[in-house]
Amino acid sequence: DADVTQTPRNRITKTGKRIMLECSQTKGHDRMYWYRQDPGLGLQLIYYSFDVKDINKGEISDGYSVSRQAQAKFSLSLESAIPNQTALYFCATSDLFSRQGSTFGSGTRLTVV
Amino acid sequence: GENVEQHPSTLSVQEGDSAVIKCTYSDSASNYFPWYKQELGKRPQLIIDIRSNVGEKKDQRIAVTLNKTAKHFSLHITETQPEDSAVYFCAASGNRGSTLGRLYFGRGTQLTVWP
C-alpha cells in the first residue's frame, strides 16, 4: 500500500545531528500526523496538521519540529537528535472528521547513538 | 483533552477461543472509535470502527460494542486464529475545536493466540 510513503525506512544517526523524516501521501487527505511508538507506550502524537497553514503540537512535541510543505507532504525534524528519541516513527493521514480512520505509513525506525 | 484507557495490556488465548479487549474514554463529546491491528514490524491498520450513533458493529469474526453512557467500548474477536496475534489499539476521535478529528490512542493490547 503506497498511499502514505515514509522515507527513510531506517536511519541510524549520531547524537547532536539534525535529521529529517519525510512523509508524502496520495490519498488526497487534508490531515496529516506524526506519531512516535515506543514499546508499551502505544502511539504518541508529536505534531499534526489539518491543512497547509495549520500546525498543532501533540502530546510530545519537545525536541521536534514539522513542516507542511504541501497538502501531500509533511516532514518531521529532530534539530539535535538525542538517544531517547530512538523509536519507531509513523506518519498518518485522515480526511476531515476522520470518517474512515487514519491511514498509516510504513514507519521509520530511527536509532540515535 | 481526551484520555483513552485500554485493558488488558497482554492477552493470551487458545486458538478457537474468544478474545475481548476493553477501552474507556473520558470525553463524552467523542464520537468515532476505530480499532487498529499492528502485526510485528508493520504499520497499524484499521480493522473496524464504530460511531456514537451505533451500539454494535460486526464484520465476520470481529465486533465492536459501544456504551456511550459508560464511555466504554470493546473489541470482540471470536474463533481466534494464530494470525490474529498482533497488537491491537483502540482510539477515540476528538470532537471539540482544534482536537476535532484527532485520534487519541490507548496503549495497546498484545494478543497472542496459541495453536
Side-chain angles (χ1 to χ4, degrees), chain B residues 4-5 8 19 27 40 50 59 71 77 83-84 105 107 113:
Chain B
V4 177
E5 302 273 348
D27 188 348
L40 188 63
I50 192 168
D59 183 3
K71 291 186 281 188
I77 306 174
E83 51 264 39
D84 294 329
F105 284 89
R107 291 194 170 193
V113 180

Side-chain angles (χ1 to χ4, degrees), chain A:
Chain A
D1 185 341
D3 288 350
V4 182
T5 302
Q6 288 184 236
T7 56
R9 291 295 306 274
N10 293 281
R11 179 74 180 267
I12 300 174
T13 192
K14 293 184 177 181
T15 298
K17 292 291 187 182
R18 183 179 188 276
I19 182 168
M20 179 182 290
L21 310 183
E22 300 190 6
C23 177
S24 62
Q25 53 115 345
T26 58
K27 296 189 72 69
H29 287 167
D30 293 321
R31 300 180 166 204
M32 299 187 74
Y33 310 81
W34 274 105
Y35 291 93
R36 168 178 171 159
Q37 186 174 36
D38 298 279
L41 294 180
L43 293 156
Q44 298 176 281
L45 184 62
I46 306 172
Y47 273 96
Y48 60 108
S49 168
F50 284 175
D51 64 42
V52 174
K53 296 181 180 180
D54 175 79
I55 300 290
N56 302 281
K57 291 184 178 181
E59 303 154 305
I60 56 165
S61 59
D62 287 348
Y64 302 94
S65 62
V66 291
S67 173
R68 184 81 183 267
Q69 300 96 323
Q71 187 205 32
K73 295 183 183 295
F74 192 37
S75 60
L76 174 72
S77 294
L78 288 68
E79 296 300 326
S80 180
I82 56 177
N84 75 1
Q85 291 178 312
T86 294
L88 184 57
Y89 291 84
F90 285 104
C91 173
T93 73
S94 70
D95 65 356
L96 186 63
F97 302 117
S98 297
R99 285 170 296 188
Q100 295 177 336
S102 288
T103 300
F104 284 81
S106 296
T108 295
R109 185 166 296 282
L110 177 66
T111 303
V112 183
V113 297

Side-chain angles (χ1 to χ4, degrees), chain B:
Chain B
E2 174 67 277
N3 182 46
V4 177
E5 302 273 348
Q6 182 172 348
H7 298 281
S9 57
T10 60
L11 179 60
S12 292
V13 299
Q14 198 75 32
E15 183 177 1
D17 288 349
S18 295
V20 180
I21 302 170
K22 299 181 179 182
C23 290
T24 60
Y25 61 99
S26 60
D27 188 348
S28 58
S30 291
N31 61 357
Y32 174 67
F33 307 92
W35 285 87
Y36 289 83
K37 175 183 180 182
Q38 185 180 26
E39 296 176 347
L40 188 63
K42 297 191 175 180
R43 73 185 82 187
Q45 292 198 302
L46 179 70
I47 55 171
I48 195 168
D49 56 14
I50 192 168
R51 299 194 180 275
S52 58
N53 59 344
V54 175
E56 182 175 3
K57 183 177 179 180
K58 289 184 179 180
D59 183 3
Q60 299 183 336
R61 295 187 297 108
I62 61 173
V64 57
T65 58
L66 171 65
N67 182 329
K68 288 190 297 181
T69 303
K71 291 186 281 188
H72 168 278
F73 59 113
S74 300
L75 178 71
H76 304 253
I77 306 174
T78 59
E79 301 174 17
T80 53
Q81 300 167 5
E83 51 264 39
D84 294 329
S85 296
V87 178
Y88 292 81
F89 293 98
C90 65
S93 179
N95 196 28
R96 302 179 192 272
S98 65
T99 69
L100 183 64
R102 171 186 163 177
L103 290 178
Y104 294 82
F105 284 89
R107 291 194 170 193
T109 296
Q110 172 68 63
L111 173 65
T112 303
V113 180
W114 300 100

